[in-house]
Coordinates of all heavy atoms in Angstrom, one line a residue:
V13 N 5.1 4.8 -4.8 CA 6.5 5.2 -5.2 C 6.5 6.5 -6.1 O 7.2 7.4 -6.0 CB 7.3 4.1 -5.8 CG1 8.7 4.5 -6.2 CG2 7.3 2.9 -4.8
L14 N 5.6 6.4 -7.1 CA 5.4 7.5 -8.1 C 4.0 8.0 -8.0 O 3.0 7.2 -7.9 CB 5.7 7.0 -9.5 CG 7.1 6.4 -9.7 CD1 7.2 5.8 -11.0 CD2 8.2 7.5 -9.5
V15 N 3.8 9.3 -8.2 CA 2.5 9.9 -8.2 C 2.5 11.0 -9.3 O 3.5 11.6 -9.6 CB 2.1 10.5 -6.9 CG1 3.1 11.6 -6.4 CG2 0.7 11.1 -6.8
D16 N 1.3 11.2 -9.9 CA 1.1 12.3 -10.8 C 1.0 13.6 -10.1 O 0.0 13.8 -9.3 CB -0.2 12.1 -11.7 CG 0.0 11.1 -12.7 OD1 1.1 10.8 -13.2 OD2 -1.1 10.5 -13.1
E17 N 2.0 14.5 -10.1 CA 1.9 15.7 -9.4 C 1.1 16.8 -10.3 O 1.3 16.7 -11.5 CB 3.2 16.3 -9.1 CG 3.2 17.6 -8.2 CD 4.6 17.9 -7.7 OE1 5.6 17.2 -7.9 OE2 4.7 19.0 -7.1
D18 N 0.3 17.7 -9.7 CA -0.3 18.7 -10.4 C 0.7 19.6 -11.2 O 1.7 19.9 -10.7 CB -1.1 19.6 -9.4 CG -1.9 20.7 -10.2 OD1 -3.0 20.3 -10.6 OD2 -1.5 21.8 -10.3
A19 N 0.4 19.8 -12.4 CA 1.4 20.5 -13.3 C 1.7 21.8 -12.9 O 2.8 22.3 -13.0 CB 0.8 20.5 -14.8
S20 N 0.8 22.5 -12.2 CA 1.1 23.9 -11.8 C 2.1 23.9 -10.6 O 2.6 25.0 -10.3 CB -0.2 24.6 -11.4 OG -0.8 24.0 -10.2
G21 N 2.3 22.8 -10.0 CA 3.2 22.7 -8.8 C 4.5 22.0 -9.0 O 5.3 21.8 -8.1
L22 N 4.8 21.7 -10.3 CA 6.1 21.1 -10.6 C 7.2 22.1 -10.3 O 7.5 23.0 -11.2 CB 6.1 20.6 -12.1 CG 5.1 19.5 -12.4 CD1 5.2 19.1 -13.8 CD2 5.5 18.2 -11.6
N23 N 7.9 21.9 -9.2 CA 9.0 22.9 -8.9 C 10.3 22.1 -8.5 O 11.3 22.8 -8.3 CB 8.5 23.7 -7.7 CG 8.1 22.9 -6.5 OD1 8.2 21.7 -6.5 ND2 7.6 23.6 -5.5
D24 N 10.3 20.8 -8.4 CA 11.5 20.2 -8.0 C 11.3 18.7 -8.4 O 10.3 18.2 -9.0 CB 11.9 20.3 -6.5 CG 10.8 19.9 -5.6 OD1 9.9 19.1 -6.0 OD2 10.8 20.3 -4.5
A25 N 12.2 17.8 -7.9 CA 12.2 16.4 -8.3 C 11.5 15.6 -7.2 O 11.6 14.3 -7.1 CB 13.5 15.9 -8.6
A26 N 10.8 16.2 -6.3 CA 10.2 15.5 -5.2 C 8.8 15.8 -5.0 O 8.3 16.8 -5.5 CB 11.0 15.8 -3.9
F27 N 8.0 15.0 -4.3 CA 6.6 15.3 -3.9 C 6.6 15.4 -2.4 O 6.8 14.4 -1.7 CB 5.8 14.2 -4.4 CG 4.3 14.5 -4.2 CD1 3.5 15.2 -5.2 CD2 3.7 14.1 -3.0 CE1 2.2 15.5 -5.0 CE2 2.3 14.4 -2.8 CZ 1.6 15.1 -3.8
A28 N 6.3 16.5 -1.8 CA 6.2 16.7 -0.4 C 4.7 16.5 0.1 O 3.8 17.0 -0.5 CB 6.6 18.1 0.0
F29 N 4.6 15.7 1.2 CA 3.3 15.5 1.7 C 3.4 15.5 3.2 O 4.2 14.9 3.9 CB 2.9 14.0 1.4 CG 1.5 13.7 1.8 CD1 0.4 14.1 1.1 CD2 1.3 13.0 2.9 CE1 -0.9 13.7 1.5 CE2 0.0 12.7 3.4 CZ -1.1 13.1 2.7
G30 N 2.6 16.4 3.9 CA 2.6 16.5 5.3 C 1.8 15.5 6.0 O 0.6 15.4 5.8
M31 N 2.5 14.6 6.8 CA 1.8 13.5 7.4 C 1.0 13.9 8.7 O 0.1 13.2 9.2 CB 2.8 12.4 7.8 CG 3.5 11.8 6.6 SD 2.3 10.8 5.6 CE 2.1 9.4 6.7
E32 N 1.4 15.0 9.3 CA 0.8 15.4 10.6 C -0.5 16.2 10.5 O -1.3 16.1 11.4 CB 1.9 16.2 11.4 CG 3.1 15.4 11.7 CD 2.9 14.2 12.6 OE1 2.1 14.3 13.5 OE2 3.5 13.1 12.3
S33 N -0.6 17.0 9.5 CA -1.8 17.8 9.4 C -2.4 17.8 8.0 O -1.7 17.7 7.1 CB -1.6 19.2 9.9 OG -0.7 19.9 9.1
P34 N -3.8 17.9 7.9 CA -4.3 17.8 6.6 C -4.1 19.1 5.7 O -4.7 20.1 5.8 CB -5.8 17.7 6.9 CG -6.0 18.3 8.2 CD -4.7 18.1 8.9
Q35 N -3.1 18.9 4.8 CA -2.7 20.0 4.0 C -2.0 19.4 2.8 O -1.3 18.4 2.9 CB -1.8 21.0 4.7 CG -0.5 20.5 5.3 CD 0.2 21.5 6.1 OE1 0.0 22.7 5.9 NE2 1.1 21.1 7.0
W36 N -2.1 20.1 1.6 CA -1.4 19.7 0.5 C -0.1 20.5 0.4 O -0.2 21.7 0.0 CB -2.2 19.8 -0.8 CG -3.5 19.1 -0.8 CD1 -4.7 19.6 -0.9 CD2 -3.6 17.6 -0.8 NE1 -5.7 18.6 -0.8 CE2 -5.0 17.3 -0.9 CE3 -2.7 16.5 -0.8 CZ2 -5.5 16.0 -0.9 CZ3 -3.2 15.3 -0.8 CH2 -4.6 15.1 -0.9
L37 N 1.0 20.0 0.7 CA 2.3 20.7 0.4 C 2.6 20.8 -1.1 O 2.9 21.8 -1.6 CB 3.4 20.1 1.2 CG 3.2 20.0 2.7 CD1 4.4 19.3 3.4 CD2 3.0 21.4 3.3
D38 N 2.6 19.6 -1.7 CA 2.6 19.5 -3.2 C 1.3 18.9 -3.5 O 0.8 17.9 -2.8 CB 3.8 18.7 -3.7 CG 5.1 19.4 -3.6 OD1 5.1 20.6 -3.7 OD2 6.2 18.7 -3.6
A39 N 0.7 19.4 -4.6 CA -0.7 18.9 -4.9 C -0.6 17.7 -5.9 O 0.1 17.8 -6.9 CB -1.5 20.0 -5.5
P40 N -1.4 16.7 -5.6 CA -1.5 15.5 -6.5 C -2.4 16.0 -7.8 O -3.2 17.0 -7.7 CB -2.3 14.4 -5.8 CG -2.9 15.1 -4.7 CD -2.2 16.4 -4.4
G41 N -2.2 15.4 -8.9 CA -2.9 15.8 -10.0 C -4.4 15.5 -10.0 O -4.9 14.6 -9.2
T42 N -5.1 16.2 -10.9 CA -6.6 15.9 -11.0 C -6.9 15.8 -12.5 O -8.1 15.9 -12.8 CB -7.4 17.1 -10.4 OG1 -7.0 18.3 -10.9 CG2 -7.2 17.2 -8.9
Y43 N -6.0 15.7 -13.3 CA -6.3 15.8 -14.8 C -6.5 14.5 -15.4 O -6.7 14.3 -16.6 CB -5.0 16.4 -15.5 CG -3.7 16.1 -14.9 CD1 -3.1 14.9 -15.3 CD2 -3.0 17.0 -14.1 CE1 -1.8 14.6 -14.8 CE2 -1.8 16.7 -13.5 CZ -1.2 15.5 -13.9 OH 0.0 15.2 -13.4
H44 N -6.7 13.4 -14.7 CA -7.2 12.1 -15.2 C -8.6 11.9 -14.8 O -8.9 11.1 -13.9 CB -6.3 10.9 -14.8 CG -4.9 11.0 -15.3 ND1 -4.6 10.9 -16.6 CD2 -3.7 11.3 -14.7 CE1 -3.3 11.0 -16.8 NE2 -2.8 11.2 -15.7
N45 N -9.5 12.6 -15.4 CA -11.0 12.6 -15.0 C -11.2 12.8 -13.5 O -11.9 12.0 -12.8 CB -11.5 11.2 -15.5 CG -13.0 11.2 -15.5 OD1 -13.6 12.2 -15.6 ND2 -13.6 10.0 -15.4
G46 N -10.5 13.8 -13.0 CA -10.7 14.1 -11.5 C -9.8 13.3 -10.6 O -10.1 13.2 -9.5
G47 N -8.8 12.7 -11.2 CA -7.9 11.9 -10.3 C -6.5 11.8 -10.8 O -6.1 12.7 -11.7
C48 N -5.7 11.0 -10.2 CA -4.3 10.9 -10.6 C -3.8 9.5 -10.5 O -4.5 8.6 -9.8 CB -3.4 11.9 -9.8 SG -2.9 11.4 -8.2
G49 N -2.7 9.2 -11.1 CA -2.2 7.8 -11.1 C -1.1 7.7 -10.0 O -0.4 8.5 -9.6
F50 N -1.1 6.5 -9.4 CA -0.1 6.1 -8.4 C 0.6 4.8 -8.8 O -0.2 3.8 -9.3 CB -0.8 5.8 -7.1 CG -1.2 7.1 -6.3 CD1 -2.5 7.6 -6.6 CD2 -0.5 7.7 -5.4 CE1 -2.9 8.8 -6.0 CE2 -0.9 8.8 -4.7 CZ -2.2 9.3 -5.0
A51 N 1.8 4.6 -8.7 CA 2.6 3.4 -8.9 C 3.0 3.0 -7.5 O 3.6 3.8 -6.8 CB 3.7 3.6 -9.8
F52 N 2.7 1.8 -7.1 CA 3.0 1.3 -5.8 C 4.3 0.4 -5.7 O 4.6 -0.2 -6.7 CB 1.8 0.5 -5.2 CG 0.6 1.4 -4.9 CD1 -0.3 1.8 -5.9 CD2 0.5 1.9 -3.6 CE1 -1.3 2.7 -5.5 CE2 -0.6 2.7 -3.3 CZ -1.5 3.1 -4.3
A53 N 4.8 0.3 -4.5 CA 6.1 -0.5 -4.3 C 5.9 -1.9 -4.7 O 6.9 -2.5 -5.1 CB 6.5 -0.3 -2.8
D54 N 4.7 -2.5 -4.6 CA 4.6 -3.9 -5.0 C 4.4 -4.1 -6.4 O 4.2 -5.3 -6.9 CB 3.5 -4.5 -4.1 CG 2.1 -3.9 -4.6 OD1 2.0 -3.1 -5.4 OD2 1.1 -4.5 -4.0
G55 N 4.4 -3.1 -7.2 CA 4.4 -3.2 -8.7 C 3.0 -2.9 -9.3 O 2.9 -2.7 -10.5
H56 N 2.0 -2.8 -8.5 CA 0.7 -2.4 -9.1 C 0.5 -0.9 -9.2 O 1.3 -0.2 -8.6 CB -0.5 -3.1 -8.2 CG -1.0 -2.3 -7.1 ND1 -0.4 -2.2 -5.8 CD2 -2.1 -1.4 -7.0 CE1 -1.1 -1.4 -5.1 NE2 -2.1 -0.9 -5.7
S57 N -0.4 -0.5 -10.0 CA -0.7 0.9 -10.1 C -2.3 1.0 -10.1 O -3.0 0.2 -10.3 CB -0.1 1.5 -11.4 OG -0.8 0.9 -12.5
E58 N -2.7 2.3 -9.8 CA -4.1 2.6 -9.8 C -4.3 4.1 -10.0 O -3.4 4.9 -9.7 CB -4.8 2.1 -8.5 CG -4.2 2.7 -7.2 CD -4.9 2.1 -5.9 OE1 -4.5 1.0 -5.5 OE2 -5.9 2.7 -5.5
T59 N -5.5 4.4 -10.4 CA -5.9 5.8 -10.6 C -6.9 6.0 -9.5 O -7.8 5.3 -9.3 CB -6.6 6.0 -11.9 OG1 -5.7 5.7 -12.9 CG2 -7.0 7.5 -12.1
R60 N -6.5 7.0 -8.7 CA -7.4 7.5 -7.6 C -8.3 8.6 -8.1 O -7.7 9.7 -8.4 CB -6.6 7.9 -6.4 CG -7.4 8.7 -5.3 CD -8.3 7.8 -4.6 NE -9.0 8.5 -3.5 CZ -9.8 8.0 -2.7 NH1 -10.1 6.7 -2.7 NH2 -10.4 8.7 -1.8
H61 N -9.6 8.4 -8.1 CA -10.5 9.5 -8.5 C -10.9 10.2 -7.2 O -11.5 9.6 -6.3 CB -11.7 9.0 -9.3 CG -11.3 8.5 -10.6 ND1 -11.4 7.2 -11.0 CD2 -10.8 9.1 -11.7 CE1 -11.0 7.0 -12.2 NE2 -10.7 8.2 -12.7
W62 N -10.5 11.4 -7.1 CA -10.6 12.1 -5.8 C -12.1 12.4 -5.5 O -12.9 12.7 -6.4 CB -9.9 13.5 -5.9 CG -8.5 13.3 -6.1 CD1 -7.7 13.7 -7.2 CD2 -7.5 12.6 -5.3 NE1 -6.4 13.3 -7.1 CE2 -6.2 12.7 -5.9 CE3 -7.5 12.0 -4.1 CZ2 -5.0 12.1 -5.3 CZ3 -6.4 11.4 -3.5 CH2 -5.2 11.5 -4.2
L63 N -12.4 12.4 -4.2 CA -13.8 12.8 -3.8 C -14.0 14.3 -3.9 O -15.1 14.8 -4.3 CB -14.0 12.3 -2.3 CG -13.9 10.8 -2.2 CD1 -13.9 10.4 -0.7 CD2 -14.8 10.0 -2.9
G64 N -13.0 15.0 -3.5 CA -13.0 16.5 -3.7 C -12.5 16.7 -5.1 O -11.4 16.5 -5.5
R65 N -13.5 17.0 -6.0 CA -13.2 17.0 -7.5 C -12.4 18.3 -8.0 O -11.9 18.3 -9.1 CB -14.5 16.9 -8.3 CG -15.2 15.7 -8.0 CD -14.5 14.4 -8.4 NE -14.7 14.2 -9.8 CZ -14.4 13.1 -10.4 NH1 -14.0 12.1 -9.8 NH2 -14.6 13.0 -11.7
A66 N -12.3 19.4 -7.1 CA -11.6 20.6 -7.5 C -10.1 20.3 -7.5 O -9.6 19.4 -6.8 CB -12.0 21.7 -6.6
E67 N -9.4 21.0 -8.2 CA -7.9 20.9 -8.2 C -7.4 21.2 -6.8 O -7.8 22.0 -6.1 CB -7.3 22.1 -9.2 CG -5.9 22.0 -9.4 CD -5.4 23.0 -10.4 OE1 -5.9 23.0 -11.5 OE2 -4.5 23.8 -10.1
K68 N -6.4 20.3 -6.4 CA -5.9 20.4 -5.1 C -5.0 21.7 -5.0 O -4.3 22.0 -6.0 CB -5.1 19.2 -4.8 CG -5.8 17.9 -4.9 CD -6.9 17.8 -4.0 CE -7.6 16.4 -4.2 NZ -8.9 16.3 -3.7
Q69 N -5.0 22.4 -3.9 CA -4.3 23.6 -3.8 C -3.0 23.3 -2.9 O -3.1 22.9 -1.8 CB -5.1 24.7 -3.1 CG -6.3 25.1 -3.8 CD -6.1 25.6 -5.2 OE1 -5.2 26.5 -5.4 NE2 -6.7 25.0 -6.2
S70 N -1.8 23.4 -3.6 CA -0.6 23.2 -2.9 C -0.2 24.5 -2.1 O -0.8 25.4 -2.1 CB 0.5 22.8 -3.9 OG 0.7 23.8 -4.8
G71 N 0.9 24.3 -1.3 CA 1.4 25.4 -0.6 C 1.3 25.3 0.9 O 1.8 26.2 1.6
G72 N 0.6 24.3 1.4 CA 0.5 24.1 2.8 C -0.7 24.7 3.5 O -0.9 24.6 4.7
A73 N -1.7 25.2 2.7 CA -2.9 25.7 3.4 C -3.7 24.5 4.0 O -3.7 23.5 3.4 CB -3.8 26.4 2.3
V74 N -4.3 24.7 5.2 CA -5.0 23.6 5.8 C -6.2 23.3 5.0 O -6.9 24.2 4.6 CB -5.3 24.1 7.3 CG1 -6.2 23.0 7.9 CG2 -4.1 24.3 8.1
I75 N -6.5 22.0 4.9 CA -7.7 21.5 4.2 C -8.9 21.7 5.1 O -9.0 21.3 6.2 CB -7.5 20.1 3.8 CG1 -6.3 20.0 2.8 CG2 -8.8 19.5 3.2 CD1 -5.9 18.5 2.5
T76 N -9.9 22.4 4.5 CA -11.2 22.6 5.3 C -12.4 21.8 4.6 O -13.3 21.5 5.3 CB -11.6 24.1 5.4 OG1 -11.7 24.6 4.0 CG2 -10.5 24.8 6.1
D77 N -12.3 21.5 3.3 CA -13.3 20.8 2.6 C -13.4 19.3 3.1 O -12.4 18.6 3.0 CB -13.1 20.9 1.1 CG -14.1 20.0 0.3 OD1 -15.3 20.2 0.6 OD2 -13.7 19.3 -0.5
P78 N -14.5 18.8 3.6 CA -14.6 17.4 4.0 C -14.2 16.4 3.0 O -13.6 15.4 3.3 CB -16.1 17.2 4.4 CG -16.6 18.6 4.7 CD -15.8 19.5 3.8
A79 N -14.6 16.6 1.8 CA -14.1 15.6 0.7 C -12.6 15.7 0.5 O -12.0 14.6 0.4 CB -14.8 15.9 -0.6
D80 N -12.0 16.8 0.6 CA -10.6 16.9 0.4 C -9.9 16.3 1.6 O -8.8 15.6 1.5 CB -10.1 18.4 0.3 CG -9.6 18.7 -1.1 OD1 -9.7 17.8 -2.0 OD2 -9.2 19.9 -1.3
Q81 N -10.5 16.4 2.8 CA -10.0 15.8 4.0 C -10.0 14.3 3.9 O -9.0 13.6 4.2 CB -10.9 16.2 5.2 CG -10.5 15.4 6.5 CD -9.2 15.9 7.1 OE1 -9.0 17.1 7.3 NE2 -8.4 15.0 7.5
R82 N -11.0 13.7 3.3 CA -11.1 12.3 3.1 C -10.0 11.8 2.1 O -9.4 10.8 2.2 CB -12.5 11.8 2.7 CG -13.5 11.9 3.8 CD -14.8 11.2 3.5 NE -15.4 11.5 2.3 CZ -16.3 12.5 2.1 NH1 -16.6 13.3 3.2 NH2 -16.8 12.8 1.0
D83 N -9.8 12.7 1.0 CA -8.7 12.4 0.1 C -7.4 12.4 0.7 O -6.5 11.6 0.4 CB -8.8 13.4 -1.1 CG -10.0 13.3 -2.0 OD1 -10.5 12.1 -2.0 OD2 -10.4 14.3 -2.7
W84 N -7.1 13.4 1.6 CA -5.9 13.5 2.2 C -5.7 12.2 3.1 O -4.6 11.7 3.2 CB -5.8 14.8 3.1 CG -4.5 15.0 3.8 CD1 -3.4 15.5 3.3 CD2 -4.2 14.6 5.2 NE1 -2.4 15.5 4.3 CE2 -2.9 15.0 5.4 CE3 -5.0 14.1 6.2 CZ2 -2.3 14.8 6.7 CZ3 -4.4 13.8 7.4 CH2 -3.0 14.2 7.6
N85 N -6.7 11.8 3.8 CA -6.6 10.6 4.7 C -6.2 9.4 3.9 O -5.4 8.6 4.3 CB -7.9 10.4 5.4 CG -8.2 11.4 6.6 OD1 -7.2 12.0 7.1 ND2 -9.4 11.6 6.9

Side-chain angles (χ1 to χ4, degrees):
V13 177
L14 301 172
V15 61
D16 287 333
E17 186 172 353
D18 185 79
S20 65
L22 293 174
N23 55 1
D24 56 21
F27 185 90
F29 184 82
M31 294 293 289
E32 298 297 321
S33 63
Q35 57 187 339
W36 300 115
L37 300 177
D38 284 336
T42 57
Y43 37 81
H44 294 293
N45 195 24
C48 83
F50 287 85
F52 288 85
D54 67 358
H56 87 279
S57 64
E58 60 185 82
T59 299
R60 168 67 179 185
H61 291 116
W62 302 116
L63 301 173
R65 301 296 279 196
E67 185 176 306
K68 308 297 185 200
Q69 299 301 310
S70 62
V74 174
I75 295 170
T76 57
D77 176 51
D80 252 1
Q81 173 73 47
R82 289 192 308 271
D83 290 337
W84 181 84
N85 288 335

